[in-house]
Amino acid sequence: MEVHSIENKLALIQAQEKELQFTTFTNDTALQLGLFIIELAKKEGKSIAVAITRGGQQLFYHAMNGTSPDQEHWIKRKSRVVERHYHSSYFMRLYNESKNRSYFATYSVNPEEYAVHGGSFPLTIKHVGVIGTITVSGLSQEEDHQLIVTGIRMLLEQENK
């Protein structure tokens, strides 16, 4: 991938992480967000699994028809990246590509426990910080990431009406 386009994507993802923050995040918020993501996937004819956690507690999980047990493993591995770095897993993927280095060697982590692929995004409370993760698995890393961004944006827009 061309360095210039990686830098543009990194800037875009950082802007998304800054923009897509909540004022509060309850169990009901997790349910609403998870259902938004599922409905978006259905509308696009996609089959995904989605998980939402806060403070280590799983608040939402759903695997659509057509997914496999592998999705749950991918979700755990991608969310560990966000829990460790407070950035989306896609950001961390691109950041390490831009440095031309291995994520696993740089951070001394096991690829069986961490997946530096797009599809996990930090749940952030404004003026507080990262409190959890939302993770999608089943599509390309870019599509997993974009589905999350679209879902969070829709929920925040609805809350601000």
Side-chain angles (χ1 to χ4, degrees), residues 13-130:
I13 296 166
Q14 279 186 306
Q16 291 168 342
E17 290 176 358
K18 186 175 180 179
E19 170 201 354
L20 301 174
Q21 297 186 11
F22 296 86
T23 53
T24 63
F25 195 89
T26 67
N27 294 25
D28 288 336
T29 309
L31 176 61
Q32 202 173 6
L33 179 56
L35 293 174
F36 269 168
I37 299 288
I38 295 298
E39 285 306 312
L40 284 170
K42 282 182 182 178
K43 285 179 186 173
E44 296 178 10
K46 309 285 184 172
S47 183
I48 61 160
V50 60
I52 300 173
T53 64
R54 183 191 61 216
Q57 180 185 19
Q58 187 170 62
L59 302 180
F60 183 91
Y61 180 83
H62 181 71
M64 296 173 69
N65 290 332
T67 60
S68 75
D70 289 344
Q71 262 76 56
E72 190 170 348
H73 185 61
W74 275 98
I75 283 171
K76 288 176 185 173
R77 291 169 57 222
K78 289 195 262 187
S79 65
R80 283 185 185 119
V81 172
V82 176
E83 291 164 357
R84 183 169 180 156
H85 302 284
Y86 305 121
H87 281 290
S88 75
S89 55
Y90 193 38
F91 176 89
M92 291 306 298
R93 164 77 176 237
L94 295 172
Y95 178 75
N96 283 281
E97 281 183 18
S98 75
K99 301 287 186 194
N100 213 12
R101 66 186 189 188
S102 163
Y103 173 83
F104 305 105
T106 300
Y107 296 103
S108 298
V109 295
N110 184 338
E112 291 181 22
E113 295 178 12
Y114 288 79
V116 62
H117 295 279
S120 190
F121 197 88
L123 294 173
T124 305
I125 303 289
K126 289 179 185 176
H127 310 295
V128 173
V130 176

Side-chain angles (χ1 to χ4, degrees), residues 154-161:
M154 285 174 53
L155 181 59
L156 291 172
E157 286 171 1
Q158 181 180 339
E159 289 179 352
N160 291 329
K161 286 184 180 180

